[in-house]
Amino acid sequence: MERTDGYGDPTKVMVAVNESSLKGYPHPSISSRSAFEWTLSKLVRSNFSGFKLLFLHVQVPDEDGFDDMDSIYASPADFKSMKERNKIRGLHLLEFFVNHCHQINCEAWIRKGDPKEVICSEVKRVQPDMLVVGSRGLGPFQRVFVGTVSEFCVKHADCPVVTIRRNANECPQDPVDD
């Protein structure tokens, strides 16, 4: 049974991915990896030609690698080098997912900005049949302070959204970490 959009085209599934807050680039977050694994095992299964996976990674502009410093001196060349380094790190993250697609048609790209806004904007632009996002499974108290990208996408994305919670046995000591 081939799953298509009714016109013979593969079903387009956008998977929003991010880097691990514990390990950093190029390691995927636990929830991103869980969302990807769910997509492969429960959705695609062995119907490789019936799907096209679209991987989106959103880099937050203030992630400059200097979180613990009050200030830093840098020349214009240093800033150009930092931007290039962040882009390369993002590409390595996407490479993890693309390399695990094997026979599945896929695309991957990076955007900068607020992840929840950018994901919804890209959904509008690309028009996938479905969006799959990972969820850290935060409690109500943590959600107030941290906010969740997945909740925002469920409410605002212009397509069906599937949120995949990470497995309880994979949760770090601090549930905000991923």
Side-chain angles (χ1 to χ4, degrees):
M1 174 177 122
E2 184 161 306
R3 297 176 64 156
T4 64
D5 65 5
Y7 299 103
D9 294 330
T11 300
K12 295 188 298 185
V13 179
M14 182 181 284
V15 183
V17 299
N18 64 322
E19 80 282 1
S20 168
S21 63
L22 297 170
K23 297 179 181 178
Y25 284 114
H27 304 282
S29 68
I30 298 166
S31 56
S32 291
R33 201 176 61 247
S34 296
F36 174 63
E37 290 168 358
W38 179 89
T39 302
L40 291 182
S41 67
K42 302 293 183 187
L43 206 57
V44 174
R45 298 181 185 188
S46 61
N47 184 13
F48 306 127
S49 65
F51 291 89
K52 181 174 186 176
L53 300 183
L54 309 169
F55 297 103
L56 170 63
H57 172 52
V58 181
Q59 290 183 324
V60 179
D62 64 353
E63 289 180 350
D64 55 14
F66 299 105
D67 295 334
D68 298 331
M69 297 183 183
D70 291 343
S71 62
I72 185 169
Y73 168 79
S75 70
D78 293 332
F79 285 110
K80 184 176 181 185
S81 173
M82 280 188 279
K83 284 181 185 177
E84 192 62 32
R85 190 168 50 248
N86 281 340
K87 182 178 179 183
I88 290 168
R89 288 175 178 164
L91 290 173
H92 285 304
L93 172 69
L94 291 173
E95 182 179 35
F96 169 86
F97 294 102
V98 170
N99 285 343
H100 285 83
C101 278
H102 305 294
Q103 303 166 344
I104 306 165
N105 189 11
C106 64
E107 291 180 18
W109 67 99
I110 300 169
R111 293 285 187 257
K112 287 193 180 286
D114 178 351
K116 58 185 182 286
E117 298 286 343
V118 172
I119 292 168
C120 289
S121 173
E122 287 296 287
V123 163
K124 246 184 203 143
R125 184 181 73 80
V126 176
Q127 300 180 333
D129 298 299
M130 174 189 305
L131 170 64
V132 178
V133 292
S135 170
R136 292 174 287 183
L138 300 178
F141 179 75
Q142 292 154 327
R143 283 196 305 260
V144 168
F145 291 100
V146 177
T148 71
V149 172
S150 58
E151 278 186 10
F152 186 90
C153 290
V154 165
K155 292 176 183 172
H156 297 95
D158 288 345
C159 71
V161 179
V162 177
T163 60
I164 305 300
R165 287 183 70 172
R166 60 189 176 189
N167 295 326
N169 63 345
E170 290 186 300
C171 289
Q173 192 169 13
D174 183 348
V176 173
D177 285 330
D178 197 28

